[in-house]
Amino acid sequence: MPLSEEMFVYHLNGNYYLPLEFFAEQLLLPVQVDIETKSAEGWFIDETRRIDISQNLMQYWANNDDCNHLKTIVYHDDWDLYIDANIISQMYGLVIAFDSARQSYSITESEAIPLSQLIARQKRFDLFNEKKLNAKEGLVKNIPKQYANSGDLGLNIDIGARSQRLNHHSTTAIDGAVQGRFDLLQHNGYFSYSWSDNNTDLTAYVDKELTDSWVSHYRIGNITSHNLALVSEASSGIGAQFSAGSEFHSDLRHIVVEGETEPGWDVELYRNNGLIDVQRAKADGLYRFIKVPYYIGINQYQLRFYGPNGEVRSESFSKLLDTSVMEQGSFGMSAGAMSREQDDLKQYYTNFNWALLDNLTAGLALIQQQDINEQWQFLPKLSVNLLSDSNLLQLNYVHSVGGHAASVALQGSLEAIDWQAEWRSYNNFRSWDNAEGRINQEANVDVSGFFDGAGVNWGLGGDWQRLSSGGERTQIGFSLSGQLSVIDLSNELRWSVFSNGSKLNERFAVSGRIGNWSLRSYVDLNLSPDTEFNQWVANINTTLNDVANYQLELRYQPNLEGDFSSRNSLSYLFDYGTLRLAVDNYATGDWLAQLRWNSSLLWETTDNRWLIDRNSFINTGSVKIVAFQDDNANGLFDANEVPLSGLQFSGHSSPNNMTDKNGELLITQLQTSRGHKLALNERSLPDPFLVPVASIIKVNAHPGYIQPIAFPVMFTAEVEGYIYQLNDENQQAAKGVKVSLKSIVSDKEYFSRVEYDGVFIFEQITPGEYELWVKDRFIQPISLKPGDFQQLEEIVL
C-alpha cells in the first residue's frame, strides 16, 4: 500500500537516511521532532519504551534482534531529521527494503506495527497528535499558489561586448539577452528576447494552472504540443493548448520535461540516478527533454543546472504511474493549435480520454495536420490503455485517406527491472512522425535495472526500422551508470546496422566534484569500423575565493575545421551581478573574447521598488511577510494596528533577516518546484504574551509575483475562576477537576486542572469565542479579546 508519493531520502556511502518525523507520521508512530533544537522524543509500543534524540545522543528500545550500537550520523534540514534506515529498522523492529530501480521503500508487516489494525492505531495516534498540537503554540497556515491581476516583474539581463577573429577578419559587436517573468490578469507570463549582429530571437507565452475548475491548464504563445503517438510526439512551435477534466496522459510511455533557465546554462536530467540526457540552453533560455522514460511505480527525476559563472543548482520531482492515475467514469481532454517551429507546418487537434474502468481508458483524437507539401490531412486516432499493478498495454490506431498506422506497446516492472516493447506499422501513412512515409515498420525494446548493492544502473535497448525504400536499420544499445563517491558516471555503447555497413559508437560521461573542482565531461567515440573521436568535451570550474570563480572548457571535434578549442573564463561575483571574461581559442588561430555582465532584477509594483541580485529571479519565487499586532483579531492589518519589527523566520536561505519597521520581510530565491515551510523563530517575538495565529507558513511560490502574506500576532488572553462543590452544605474546593476551554469556530481546545485552593487558570489563550466545560458539563460561553483578563464568577458543582 503506497503511503506517500513523495519522500526526500539522503544517500551517502551506501547508507540511506529516512526522514524520521515524516516516516513516523506515515505509520502513525508517536514520535515528535523539534527541528529548532535538532531533537526528537516519543515512544513505541508503550510509553515506557522512550525514544530520545538530543545533545548528540540517541536512546531507544531496540525491537529486533539487531544489537548493533555503533555510532551513526543524524542529518537534518529545515523540515526533518534524517536517520540511517538500519537504525529505523532496529528502533521499530521493521524489515525495510529499498528498491533502487524504482526509488521506493517497502515495509514488511510485523506484529509491532500490524497494518491490519490501522483504525485502532489511528485513534491512538490522534490522541498523541492532540497532545502534540496543544503543546506546540500556533498552527500551520497553508498559502496556495496565487496569480496577481497585475504582478511584479522579474528580469534577467545578460549583456556584453564580443571581439573575435574569424577567417582573418576581426569584428567587435554588442549582444545580449533579456528574460522576463510577470503576472498579468491572473496569468503567468514569460518572455525572452536576444539580439546579436547575426539575428534576433523572441520567445514568449502566457499560461495558467487552475485547481478548482474543469480546465486545469492552458498556454498561449510558444508551446509544446501534447504527445500524440504515431502522429506528433511533443512538437514545439507557436500556438495555443489546454487540458481539462481528469489528469490523463494521452501517452503513458513517456513524459516531456521542459522549463526555463538562463541562456548558456547546461542542464542534466536524471531518472532514478541514471543520466537521461544533457542540453545547453540557447538564447531563449528554454530546455526540453522529450521521450523521457516513465515506468510503472515511482519515477524519481532530478534536474541539475550548471551556469557559465560556476553556479550549480538542482531540482527534484517524482511521478507515480499505477492504477491510481485514473478513476472509473472520469473524463479528460486536451486540445491545441500550433505552427511547428522548424518548418511552419500547422496542426489542430482535440484529444478525449475516458476511464471505462479503474485500469482501462479509451481515447479519441481528431487531428488536422499539414504534410510536408503543406497539404491538409484529417487523422482520427483511437487509443486504449490497460494498466495493472505491474504492466501497461497500449494500443493506437490512426486512419488517413490513403492508409493507416497502428502500434502496440507493452511496459512493465519485474522486481528490480523495468522493460518496454513497442511495434509500429505504417501502411501508406504520412505524418509529422513519419515524414514522406519513409518508414513501413519499426520496433523497439528497452530493459533497465539496478545491480543491488553495487549502486549501478544498467540499460539494454534495441531499435529496428524497415524503410519504404526496402532498406533496414537496426540499433542496439547498452548503458551503465552509477555513482562513485560524489561522481556520477555513465557509459553507453550503441551498435548501428545499415544496408551499407555497421557502426559501433560509445559515449562516456562523468559529472560531479573532485576536491574543490566541479567536473563534467562527455566523450563520443567511433569504435568500428574505424576508431576515431567524434567529440570530447570537458568542463571544470572551481571557486578561487568568496567572489571569484574560474572555469575551463575543452572541446575536441576532429570532424570540424578547428578540431580543438578551449575556453578560459573568469567570473567576479558582485552582490548585484556577475562580471565574466571569457576567451575562446581555436586550432585554426581564430579567437573570441567576451566581456559580459549578468544581473537579475525584481520590480515590486506595489511599492515601486527595484531589487537587484546576481541570483536569478526568473526561476525562483518570492514572498513578502507582513507582521502586525492584530488587536481586533480579524486577521487584517488595519490602519490603527502596529507593525512588528525584528521577527525572524527559518526555512529559507537568509534566516537572520528580520521584519523591518513596517513589519515587512521580503524572502526571495524560493524554489518553485516544491513547497516551503517558513517557521517563526518565537524567540524573536518582542513580548512573551504575543502569540502568532500560525507559527508555520506553508507557501508555494511562483516567479514573477511577490506574494504578500499577512502574519497577525495577538496578545494572548487569560481566564481565571474558582470552582467548589457542596459537601454536607460545606463549601470545599473541587481539587483536581478537569476544566476545558473549547473554541466554537475550530478544533482548538485548552485544558486546566483545579488547584488545591479551588482556583483554575488558563494562560496564553488565543483570542476568540470559547465554551467553558467542567468535566462533561457546559458552564458558559466566553468571549476573549487580545490582552483580556477575565475573572469568572464562582462555579458551584
Side-chain angles (χ1 to χ4, degrees), residues 246-515:
S246 300
E247 185 183 355
F248 280 100
H249 296 280
S250 56
D251 189 347
L252 294 176
R253 301 163 304 150
H254 308 104
I255 64 170
V256 176
V257 179
E258 60 181 342
E260 302 84 24
T261 185
E262 296 91 304
W265 280 58
D266 289 335
V267 186
E268 297 178 349
L269 174 63
Y270 292 82
R271 176 191 173 271
N272 292 359
N273 294 325
L275 179 65
I276 301 298
D277 198 5
V278 181
Q279 293 183 10
R280 174 162 290 181
K282 298 180 181 179
D284 58 7
L286 301 179
Y287 61 86
R288 186 167 66 101
F289 299 92
I290 63 174
K291 289 191 175 182
V292 177
Y294 182 41
Y295 286 108
I296 297 287
I298 294 180
N299 298 261
Q300 296 281 358
Y301 298 98
Q302 185 183 49
L303 289 162
R304 299 181 187 175
F305 301 88
Y306 299 90
N309 304 312
E311 307 96 332
V312 180
R313 69 171 186 264
S314 64
E315 295 179 5
S316 299
F317 65 97
S318 63
K319 291 185 70 68
L320 174 67
L321 178 59
D322 64 9
T323 52
S324 66
V325 301
M326 57 192 75
E327 181 179 349
Q328 182 176 354
S330 55
F331 171 81
M333 70 169 296
S334 58
M338 68 179 300
S339 176
R340 194 162 65 165
E341 186 177 51
Q342 63 262 41
D343 49 22
D344 294 330
L345 295 180
K346 295 176 177 57
Q347 174 179 266
Y348 305 95
Y349 65 89
T350 302
N351 189 31
F352 305 93
N353 288 280
W354 296 270
L356 305 178
L357 301 171
D358 285 342
N359 61 346
L360 177 64
T361 66
L364 170 64
L366 305 176
I367 306 158
Q368 280 283 114
Q369 188 181 90
Q370 283 185 323
D371 62 19
I372 196 169
N373 299 315
E374 298 188 1
Q375 298 298 312
W376 286 101
Q377 55 179 344
F378 177 57
L379 305 174
K381 172 180 173 292
L382 295 173
S383 62
V384 175
N385 288 293
L386 178 62
L387 188 62
S388 69
D389 290 338
S390 58
N391 296 283
L392 165 69
L393 170 64
Q394 184 179 92
L395 305 175
N396 293 286
Y397 176 81
V398 188
H399 181 76
S400 66
V401 173
H404 63 269
S407 70
V408 179
L410 288 170
Q411 177 181 301
S413 300
L414 296 172
E415 294 185 357
I417 296 177
D418 294 320
W419 61 273
Q420 179 175 288
E422 183 178 11
W423 170 79
R424 294 177 290 274
S425 176
Y426 303 93
N427 184 358
N428 193 29
F429 181 82
R430 294 169 176 81
S431 69
W432 285 3
D433 283 354
N434 188 23
E436 300 181 336
R438 287 193 292 263
I439 303 172
N440 279 346
Q441 293 187 59
E442 59 182 351
N444 74 279
V445 176
D446 289 294
V447 184
S448 62
F450 188 87
F451 291 123
D452 195 19
V456 176
N457 294 282
W458 60 270
L460 179 64
D463 297 278
W464 169 81
Q465 287 183 338
R466 175 177 289 171
L467 307 178
S468 56
S469 61
E472 293 186 357
R473 298 175 180 172
T474 303
Q475 290 191 55
I476 299 176
F478 177 71
S479 64
L480 285 174
S481 62
Q483 191 175 55
L484 179 63
S485 184
V486 291
I487 301 292
D488 288 291
L489 306 170
S490 68
N491 187 77
E492 182 179 4
L493 281 172
R494 184 163 293 276
W495 181 48
S496 305
V497 181
F498 306 95
S499 56
N500 57 352
S502 63
K503 184 185 296 184
L504 181 63
N505 302 92
E506 179 182 25
R507 186 181 194 200
F508 178 77
V510 58
S511 176
R513 295 194 66 84
I514 300 178

Side-chain angles (χ1 to χ4, degrees), residues 455-636:
V456 176
N457 294 282
W458 60 270
L460 179 64
D463 297 278
W464 169 81
Q465 287 183 338
R466 175 177 289 171
L467 307 178
S468 56
S469 61
E472 293 186 357
R473 298 175 180 172
T474 303
Q475 290 191 55
I476 299 176
F478 177 71
S479 64
L480 285 174
S481 62
Q483 191 175 55
L484 179 63
S485 184
V486 291
I487 301 292
D488 288 291
L489 306 170
S490 68
N491 187 77
E492 182 179 4
L493 281 172
R494 184 163 293 276
W495 181 48
S496 305
V497 181
F498 306 95
S499 56
N500 57 352
S502 63
K503 184 185 296 184
L504 181 63
N505 302 92
E506 179 182 25
R507 186 181 194 200
F508 178 77
V510 58
S511 176
R513 295 194 66 84
I514 300 178
N516 294 325
W517 293 85
S518 176
L519 168 67
R520 289 173 291 131
S521 183
Y522 314 97
V523 178
D524 293 320
L525 300 171
N526 284 341
L527 301 180
S528 175
D530 299 314
T531 302
E532 61 180 355
F533 269 93
N534 280 337
Q535 179 178 232
W536 171 58
V537 180
N539 183 294
I540 58 174
N541 68 73
T542 187
T543 300
L544 301 179
N545 53 46
D546 292 341
V547 295
N549 293 332
Y550 170 72
Q551 186 168 189
L552 171 65
E553 184 168 295
L554 303 175
R555 288 181 176 268
Y556 177 58
Q557 299 169 300
N559 297 323
L560 300 180
E561 181 181 356
D563 55 358
F564 182 80
S565 63
S566 65
R567 168 174 289 186
N568 286 275
S569 177
L570 182 64
S571 302
Y572 196 87
L573 311 178
F574 297 89
D575 290 338
Y576 304 111
T578 304
L579 181 66
R580 182 176 78 253
L581 174 64
V583 178
D584 294 17
N585 292 283
Y586 303 89
T588 57
D590 295 330
W591 52 266
L592 169 66
Q594 301 179 77
L595 184 65
R596 307 194 69 83
W597 175 265
N598 182 276
S599 279
S600 195
L601 296 88
L602 185 62
W603 178 31
E604 188 180 6
T605 54
T606 53
D607 297 334
N608 194 24
R609 176 173 56 166
W610 284 94
L611 302 175
I612 306 177
D613 202 306
R614 70 168 180 262
N615 297 313
S616 174
F617 293 115
I618 298 298
N619 303 292
T620 58
S622 305
V623 298
K624 181 171 68 174
I625 295 177
V626 182
F628 60 96
Q629 186 175 307
D630 191 11
D631 293 330
N632 57 9
N634 66 352
L636 303 176

Side-chain angles (χ1 to χ4, degrees), residues 11 36 79 120 233 321 334 387 402 517 529 702 751:
H11 176 217
E36 288 189 5
W79 298 65
E233 293 194 344
L321 178 59
S334 58
L387 188 62
W517 293 85
H702 82 97
F751 299 95

Side-chain angles (χ1 to χ4, degrees), residues 136-139 630 633 689-694 712-719 741-746 748-750 762-770 782-788:
K136 188 174 184 180
E137 291 183 345
L139 300 173
D630 191 11
F689 290 98
L690 285 171
V691 172
V693 174
V713 178
M714 295 182 289
F715 271 109
T716 54
E718 186 173 332
V719 176
L741 203 59
K742 299 179 181 181
S743 172
I744 296 177
V745 297
S746 71
K748 188 181 299 182
E749 188 171 0
Y750 298 91
F762 288 99
E763 296 178 313
Q764 291 192 321
I765 305 300
T766 303
E769 301 296 323
Y770 294 89
I782 296 178
S783 179
L784 296 175
K785 296 181 180 179
D788 262 4

Side-chain angles (χ1 to χ4, degrees), residues 16-79:
Y16 294 90
Y17 295 83
L18 304 183
L20 179 62
E21 186 171 36
F22 181 91
F23 186 87
E25 288 180 354
Q26 294 300 313
L27 293 178
L28 308 180
L29 305 174
V31 173
Q32 178 180 353
V33 171
D34 186 343
I35 201 61
E36 288 189 5
T37 60
K38 313 298 184 295
S39 64
E41 64 177 351
W43 48 272
F44 182 57
I45 297 182
D46 63 62
E47 296 191 27
T48 62
R49 298 188 177 189
R50 301 294 303 168
I51 295 173
D52 187 11
I53 302 173
S54 62
Q55 304 298 324
N56 293 321
L57 296 174
M58 183 187 301
Q59 180 180 347
Y60 59 90
W61 186 300
N63 286 284
N64 62 9
D65 56 3
D66 181 5
C67 297
N68 171 38
H69 58 276
L70 299 177
K71 288 184 178 180
T72 187
I73 300 174
V74 177
Y75 295 95
H76 70 88
D77 55 18
D78 289 327
W79 298 65

